[in-house]
Amino acid sequence: MQSARIAPSAKGTVPFGPYKTWYRVTGDLNSGLPALVVVHGGPGSTHDYLLRLAELSAHGWPVVHYDQLGNGGSTHLPEKGADFWTVDLFLAELKNLVEALGIADNHMVFGQSWGGLLAAKYAAARPAGLKGLIIANSPASYPLWLEEMEVLRAQLPEGVDETLRRHEAAGTTNTDEYHAAALPFYERHVCRLKPWPRDWQATFYELFNDPTVYYAMNGPSEFHVNGTLKDWGVVDCIADIDVPTLVISGRHDEATPRTVQPFQDLIPDVRWEILEESSHVPHLEEPERFDEVMLDYLKRVAAA
């Protein structure tokens, strides 16, 4: 089944201050089961690459996708500087969306990559209606991430990292040569499928068309984080998470086991699953195993 072809039951925008947040619902928000709110990565990505999660609605779980402010179908603000794009802004947007859709008293959050850190921070505040949390392919901090990027970069084919560092030092990371040199990293640690799936490509196109948020908060690439998030993490608050938590990562993930370990160590009720044939997008790389892990977790939350 092509997830992009699953018809939404509702879609539109909700006001977020003077801006708008685009959303899509698949399934029935009034089913009685907690709605699964899907928080995409980036920052500066879009919901597209996570559309496959809409298939969980076939098992009764309502699924909410949305595009974070500055991206996709939500309000774009290319004129805003780095000081505008903050963690608190995106936490407020998530809370606003949940309340606007009327699911604040019965929801779960699935956060992928950057979205996993955002979801963990959200859960650590203990929202009253939060029933569960899934953290997928996320580091617990960007300093840890950057340390592990050094390890992964050193394993790239000969000459690749040298080319990357030359452009990073010169500030020429928006060149064809830099993008081409980055490809071996992405093929090893971000998405190992060839060709890249349509939904994954759609997100890449969106990010390329407006990289405002990505450049401000992350930087020019997955492995060269020099934006406002470079010193940020959630290690200091995740012990406060009080809902059943599922952590997912891939064996070949850019979010290496060392970057994920604090979630396992500090969250009180946690289960960690590593998908052996995946990198950063196991929902696309190992869909059957991913579904098995997700549905087992969702059923346990519903039975609690």
Side-chain angles (χ1 to χ4, degrees):
M1 179 181 292
Q2 290 289 330
S3 60
R5 295 174 184 167
I6 295 178
S9 51
K11 61 181 180 178
T13 60
V14 299
F16 175 47
Y19 313 119
K20 291 183 177 180
T21 301
W22 180 94
Y23 71 90
R24 163 193 166 122
V25 178
T26 314
D28 181 7
L29 292 181
N30 298 311
S31 68
L33 290 173
L36 183 67
V37 182
V38 179
V39 185
H40 65 68
S45 185
T46 63
H47 77 285
D48 300 88
Y49 76 102
L50 292 166
L51 261 177
R52 197 186 161 275
L53 272 71
E55 295 183 12
L56 293 170
S57 64
H59 299 272
W61 302 91
V63 179
V64 177
H65 286 87
Y66 76 104
D67 286 334
Q68 294 163 26
L69 189 67
N71 308 291
S74 296
T75 305
H76 286 236
L77 297 161
E79 73 282 2
K80 295 292 187 182
D83 59 338
F84 178 81
W85 304 107
T86 65
V87 173
D88 286 345
L89 173 74
F90 291 108
L91 284 171
E93 181 184 34
L94 175 56
K95 184 173 183 288
N96 179 76
L97 176 71
V98 166
E99 292 174 350
L101 293 181
I103 56 175
D105 62 346
N106 192 28
H107 67 290
M108 298 177 292
V109 177
F110 175 102
Q112 200 276 339
S113 197
W114 136 261
L117 286 95
L118 188 66
K121 185 74 171 177
Y122 173 82
R126 299 186 176 182
L130 184 68
K131 308 300 184 185
L133 171 68
I134 303 99
I135 300 169
N137 317 104
S138 306
S141 82
Y142 282 94
L144 263 180
W145 175 274
L146 284 167
E147 289 176 14
E148 288 296 280
M149 290 306 102
E150 291 298 311
V151 175
L152 298 181
R153 291 175 68 140
Q155 298 169 358
L156 292 172
E158 185 177 355
V160 170
D161 195 38
E162 179 183 349
T163 300
L164 293 169
R165 291 184 189 276
R166 173 164 49 82
H167 283 286
E168 289 162 3
T172 52
T173 54
N174 199 27
T175 60
D176 289 344
E177 186 179 34
Y178 184 81
H179 294 155
L183 196 57
F185 181 94
Y186 282 74
E187 291 177 340
R188 287 185 179 194
H189 301 299
V190 184
C191 182
R192 294 168 69 87
L193 298 175
K194 294 182 180 180
W196 281 350
R198 181 180 62 186
D199 292 350
W200 178 245
Q201 291 186 48
T203 283
F204 248 71
Y205 293 145
E206 291 276 4
L207 180 58
F208 179 81
N209 287 335
D210 187 353
T212 302
V213 183
Y214 189 74
Y215 284 176
M217 297 184 76
N218 186 85
S221 68
E222 293 293 281
F223 46 81
H224 186 51
V225 179
N226 59 4
T228 57
L229 290 179
K230 68 181 186 299
D231 298 317
W232 183 72
V234 293
V235 176
D236 62 337
C237 69
I238 52 180
D240 294 331
I241 295 172
D242 64 350
V243 294
T245 301
L246 171 65
V247 175
I248 298 172
S249 63
R251 180 60 66 190
H252 309 282
D253 207 327
E254 57 180 346
T256 64
R258 180 167 174 257
T259 71
V260 178
Q261 189 66 45
F263 294 123
Q264 175 72 24
D265 292 343
L266 298 172
I267 298 175
D269 182 359
V270 65
R271 169 188 165 198
W272 183 8
E273 290 282 350
I274 299 178
L275 277 69
E276 295 295 332
E277 302 302 323
S278 295
S279 59
H280 200 53
V281 284
H283 63 285
L284 298 174
E285 294 166 296
E286 286 184 83
E288 292 182 359
R289 176 62 182 148
F290 176 86
D291 288 354
E292 181 183 0
V293 170
M294 280 291 295
L295 288 169
D296 178 68
Y297 167 80
L298 294 172
K299 289 171 184 175
R300 287 195 300 113
V301 170

